[in-house]
Structures are given as C-alpha cells and as structure tokens.
Amino acid sequence: MSDMAAGAPGSRSHAQVKNTALFLRRWLANPLQMGSVIPSSPALCRRIAALVARAEDEVVVELGAGTGVISRALLNAGVPPERLVVVEIVRDMAEHLRNVLPGVNVIQGDAFELARALPERLHGKVGTAICGIPLVMLPTEQQQRFVDAVESVAPGKGFLLYTYCITSPLPYRKLGLTAKREAWTPLNVPPASVWRYTPIR
C-alpha cells in the first residue's frame, strides 16, 4: 500500500524515505506477502483507523503491518500502545516495528496461525482485526485458512481488509462471510478500498 506524501517530493521526511526503502526491500524479497511496493498513504491509514472499534478490555490486532504506518495512525487515533498487537512474519520487519512502535506488542509470527501466535489471554479479546496481507493473490484454500485463523481468536468479529480492489477481493460467500465496502480512498496511490468481512451466523 502507499505512503506517498501529499506535497512535493522534496517535502518527504528522512523517515518516510527510510520506510519506503525498507518496504521495497521487503516486497522484493517476497511480493506475495505484500500488496504493493510502497506503504499505505496517510489518507488510507486515517480511514482504517476510523473504522476500528474495541471495548476497553479488547485489543486491536494488525496483521502484516509493513513499516508501521497504519500502526501509527491507530495510535494517533487513540488506540493505547498496550492495546495494539502487531503480527509480522518477517524477522527484520518485526524488529523494525519494535524500534518504531514503543509500547506496542509486536509479535513475530504467522497470521495464518493466530491461535498459536497470539497469547491465549487475548483469545476472545480482539475488538478489530486489520489485514494488510494481499489475500486476493492466494488460492481459496489459503483464504479460508486465514478466515479460520481470525475466527479462532476473534469469534464472530471478522476483519477489515484494505486492498486495491473496488469489488470484493474475496469470494466471501464461499468463505462463509458477509462483505461490505466501508471506505474508498482515491488519494491512495493507487486508489484503495477497505472491506469489512464478518462470519455468517
């Protein structure tokens, strides 16, 4: 996803340039784990943060956090650091996130094995799960595995998925889900949508 600044190229900070370089290296290492060669834009990050809901004793779980731009938007929107859990499979990216997100619980683990990655005390305590993994690129069996992984720790809650797809990137009926496009961000490069998927009961 994109983290392009709204101003001229010369206005980009050193941190933004560093983030983009790190993101590009990560994308080159494994494109199927990431949906874009650049991180998400501030406009998209704000849209996602506005859709988050949680009770006081619940956490927000971000899956595939990249360089942490959405994580920072969540913190800026009022999610306490101790109530934000970030799951990142790549060791170098997880270490980067620990450095730039003080107080946030960063877990190096597999989003498709959430019951194992997430501490048991947090099972059933997930208010919102946010997915930045390009699920559209995966076969249906893997998509179902992801849906089941989220359900194992956040029963009935579903998840938010940000994507470049205007139509649903997931065959939600096959996966036992309902789907609603909650936001569209034309200012992202390229334009992005945020979809909410919820298990059918």
Side-chain angles (χ1 to χ4, degrees):
M1 295 292 171
S2 170
D3 188 29
M4 299 293 286
S11 68
R12 299 188 71 195
S13 69
H14 174 72
Q16 287 175 309
V17 173
K18 185 178 179 182
N19 277 353
T20 301
L22 177 64
F23 202 92
L24 179 59
R25 289 198 303 274
R26 167 82 159 77
W27 185 86
L28 289 170
N30 195 333
L32 289 180
Q33 288 180 345
M34 307 182 78
S36 172
V37 296
I38 46 179
S40 299
S41 72
L44 177 60
C45 294
R46 289 192 296 269
R47 283 296 191 89
I48 294 169
L51 292 169
V52 164
R54 68 170 188 87
E56 192 169 336
D57 65 339
E58 291 180 330
V59 297
V60 176
V61 175
E62 186 182 358
L63 307 167
T67 60
V69 292
I70 289 174
S71 309
R72 285 188 285 274
L74 295 170
L75 297 172
N76 290 338
V79 177
E82 67 274 13
R83 290 294 174 183
L84 178 57
V85 179
V86 173
V87 179
E88 171 57 52
I89 195 169
V90 177
R91 183 183 302 274
D92 288 350
M93 296 295 284
E95 190 59 37
H96 166 78
L97 291 168
R98 290 189 185 103
N99 290 334
V100 300
L101 301 172
V104 172
N105 185 4
V106 177
I107 297 171
Q108 185 197 342
D110 189 346
F112 292 79
E113 297 286 348
L114 272 183
R116 183 180 305 170
L118 211 62
E120 192 171 343
R121 62 184 172 80
L122 296 180
H123 292 195
K125 293 292 185 181
V126 177
T128 301
I130 302 164
C131 179
I133 301 165
L135 298 178
V136 68
M137 297 181 177
L138 302 179
T140 305
E141 297 77 21
Q142 284 292 87
Q143 294 172 349
Q144 186 67 65
R145 186 174 166 227
F146 177 84
V147 171
D148 294 343
V150 174
E151 182 68 9
S152 71
V153 299
K157 293 293 185 72
F159 56 94
L160 296 174
L161 173 67
Y162 53 101
T163 173
Y164 297 137
C165 302
I166 295 177
T167 58
S168 174
L170 298 180
Y172 58 93
R173 292 184 182 89
K174 287 184 179 179
L175 299 172
L177 302 169
T178 62
K180 181 182 179 183
R181 191 173 76 152
E182 296 275 17
W184 180 64
T185 312
L187 296 180
N188 200 75
V189 181
S193 296
V194 184
W195 286 82
R196 186 184 299 277
Y197 294 99
T198 308
I200 298 172
R201 294 299 187 186

